Amino acid sequence: MNTTPPTAWRYDRARLTDALRTGAVALLLGVAGIFGLSAWALAGHAGSPARIEVREGHVLLPAVPGSPTNAYFPVVNTGGAPDRLPSATVRGASPGPAELTRHRMNEANGAYREPNGLLTVPARTELAMSPFGTALTVRASPRWRPGDRITFVLTFERAGPITADAVVTPLGTVPSR
């Protein structure tokens, strides 16, 4: 067993300089972090909820009146958190649920719709539904005519229900955006 007494710790210039440098670096990093987080929060990005806007869309007029067709909407999230679209409905003529679907192709280049379940809208993103991606599949009313406005209610998990109109568009025409 070692019986020599421990040497007393002494302040010396090298130890004091090292301690001051370490403390200064920690202080500067802390101040920089506080300023960075403050700027992030003041810019409205920290902890801001999802802010969803659904712009006017279009719904295709099917070749066979009353058959299923697709509706497409631009969806914008200007908030700091993502949101998801689990359901939508149609109001007015031909009321009922709309199914969120995704366009798929098989090995023989045949197109088909596949149920999608949810559409996730990331923070600070604009998504546009399209014939080559996601869509809302609905049963068209036999009374729909080109130019008619159909009201949809898209219900988001965080933003809640949002009402948007879609203009009935004949097949083969591309709406101007």
Side-chain angles (χ1 to χ4, degrees):
M1 178 175 234
N2 189 358
T3 58
T4 56
T7 55
W9 188 86
R10 293 182 305 161
Y11 289 103
D12 65 11
R13 181 168 281 218
R15 286 184 175 171
L16 184 59
T17 303
D18 287 345
L20 288 174
R21 282 186 186 147
T22 302
V25 168
L27 178 67
L28 286 174
L29 288 175
V31 169
I34 289 171
F35 279 123
L37 288 173
S38 297
W40 180 257
L42 288 173
H45 298 299
S48 65
R51 286 187 220 110
I52 301 293
E53 175 187 341
V54 180
R55 297 188 179 144
E56 181 178 86
H58 64 278
V59 59
L60 298 177
L61 184 65
V64 177
S67 64
T69 189
N70 287 339
Y72 308 101
F73 291 93
V75 180
V76 181
N77 182 357
T78 59
D83 206 345
R84 297 189 307 180
L85 172 67
S87 67
T89 57
V90 182
R91 284 190 186 162
S94 184
E99 182 181 21
L100 191 62
T101 59
R102 179 174 299 280
H103 178 268
R104 294 286 187 210
M105 298 293 288
N106 61 23
E107 298 82 26
N109 286 331
Y112 65 98
R113 293 182 189 113
E114 177 179 85
N116 198 40
L118 288 173
L119 174 65
T120 300
V121 186
R124 293 174 294 285
T125 303
E126 178 174 352
L127 294 177
M129 296 178 190
S130 77
F132 304 104
T134 56
L136 293 175
T137 300
V138 298
R139 180 152 309 274
S141 168
R143 295 180 296 217
W144 286 359
R145 300 290 175 255
D148 287 351
R149 299 179 76 74
I150 310 303
T151 302
F152 286 77
V153 178
L154 287 74
T155 304
F156 292 86
E157 287 181 344
R158 293 184 177 176
I162 297 177
T163 302
D165 286 343
V167 176
V168 175
T169 306
L171 284 173
T173 62
V174 177
S176 60
R177 289 247 175 253

